[in-house]
Amino acid sequence: MRKLEEETGEQLFDRSSHEGVLTEAGRVLFDYAERLLNLRGEATEALTELRQMQRGRLVIAANELTCLYLLPVLHQFRRLHPMVHVAVQRALASRIPDECAETFG
């Protein structure tokens, strides 16, 4: 705690009592620490949801003919993964590898 007090330049505990009461600066820092821990938990949960395909984004490049076969599959995918945003980009078959590289490169 002393190292943290040295880094912040603030006294974080009122050491005049045996109870270790937080100073105003200590309460401010405690609030920020609490928020950081909550954000860490939210970030971990979001990554887990992404990994389990509970949320995220799927971009597919397809030509017109491929879309005819793709639509039923996408319908099924959307039912299984309603929080995943699906976008289909129309592309010529010969250009799909290039357009994917531009989008994700």
Side-chain angles (χ1 to χ4, degrees), residues 32-48:
Y32 276 98
E34 210 168 39
R35 283 195 254 170
L36 286 170
L37 289 173
N38 288 337
L39 279 174
R40 178 183 176 194
E42 289 175 27
T44 301
E45 184 178 323
L47 290 173
T48 298

Side-chain angles (χ1 to χ4, degrees), residues 33-103:
E34 210 168 39
R35 283 195 254 170
L36 286 170
L37 289 173
N38 288 337
L39 279 174
R40 178 183 176 194
E42 289 175 27
T44 301
E45 184 178 323
L47 290 173
T48 298
E49 289 174 351
L50 184 65
R51 218 175 291 119
Q52 295 173 353
M53 293 178 51
Q54 293 176 0
R55 78 167 49 182
R57 184 172 165 227
L58 173 64
V59 179
I60 300 171
N63 63 18
E64 288 83 2
L65 183 60
T66 305
C67 285
L68 293 175
Y69 298 101
L70 190 60
L71 289 174
V73 175
L74 286 179
H75 179 70
Q76 174 77 2
F77 182 86
R78 290 287 295 145
R79 281 191 303 135
L80 294 172
H81 308 284
M83 297 302 291
V84 176
H85 175 75
V86 178
V88 179
Q89 296 178 344
R90 183 178 157 266
L92 296 173
S94 61
R95 292 274 306 139
I96 289 175
D98 297 331
E99 289 182 18
C100 287
E102 290 170 10
T103 302

